[in-house]
Amino acid sequence: MGWVENADGTVTITDDAASGGGPAEDMQKIHDVAVRLGGLLKGTRQARENLTASQTRNGWVYVETDTGGVYERISGEWRLIAGGNRLTTYRSNTALPGVVTPLIRTGFASGRTEPGGQLIHNFAEAFPSACIGVVLMIDNQSNFAPTAGAYPYLIATTVTRQGFQSFWPDRANTEVATAFIAYGY
C-alpha cells in the first residue's frame, strides 16, 4: 500500500507501494492528516470535562450534545463560544472562581414581612455553587408607598445559593412584592 498527498492537503490511499511508505508509514500519514484536519469533537458535558490535556489541542472545538454549548480549546482551557443555555463569557474585574459563565435568576420576592420588616425569599431553583449578588427592582412593588426611607433593602449578609432576605422599613406584617435579578454560578 501507499499514499499520495493531493494539492488540497487530502491524502489518497493507493495500492501502489511505490507511491508512499509501508503500512506503518501509511498509518502515520493517516494519523497526521486526522490531527491536522480534526479537532471537532462531539459528546456530553461530562465527557468534555473528563478530557485530559494530552487528549486535546488548542483550537479544537467541542459540541455538547446535552447542553448545546459549543466550546473552543484556548490556552489549555475550554471556553464557551456559542449556544447552550448559559451566557457567553463576560468581562469583569472580579473573576468567578474557575467559572467563565454566570447564571442569572429572575423573579418576584413576595409574601408577608416578619414583625421586624424582613421578607425571606427562596429561589425557585438554587444556584449550583453560590449566589454572588441580588438586585431589587424598586419600581415594581405592590403595596408600596414611596415615602422617605420606605424602599426595601437587600440584607447582604443573608444572600446564599438558596435565597436572600430583604428589609422593608415601616412594612412589618405587610404583604409586599418586588422583582429581583440574582446572579451567581
Side-chain angles (χ1 to χ4, degrees), residues 33-118:
V33 170
V35 167
R36 188 177 75 226
L37 300 177
L40 179 59
L41 308 173
K42 195 178 230 187
T44 64
R45 175 180 169 213
Q46 188 63 51
R48 178 185 59 79
E49 290 175 348
N50 289 339
L51 290 171
T52 64
S54 65
Q55 295 173 312
T56 63
R57 291 199 163 95
N58 287 330
W60 281 14
V61 175
Y62 191 101
V63 179
E64 291 183 351
T65 56
D66 53 348
T67 69
V70 180
Y71 291 79
E72 182 178 5
R73 190 79 172 176
I74 301 171
S75 300
E77 295 182 4
W78 291 109
R79 304 278 174 91
L80 182 67
I81 58 172
N85 54 3
R86 302 178 193 145
L87 297 175
T88 56
T89 304
Y90 70 103
R91 300 278 182 224
S92 173
N93 291 331
T94 306
L96 299 174
V99 178
V100 294
T101 53
L103 298 174
I104 307 294
R105 303 268 192 265
T106 60
F108 285 91
S110 62
R112 180 171 291 280
T113 58
E114 295 182 353
Q118 298 90 355

Side-chain angles (χ1 to χ4, degrees), residues 3-13 29 32-34 36-37:
W3 52 268
V4 174
E5 186 165 354
N6 303 308
D8 64 359
T10 60
V11 173
T12 302
I13 304 298
K29 187 63 175 180
D32 293 346
V33 170
R36 188 177 75 226
L37 300 177

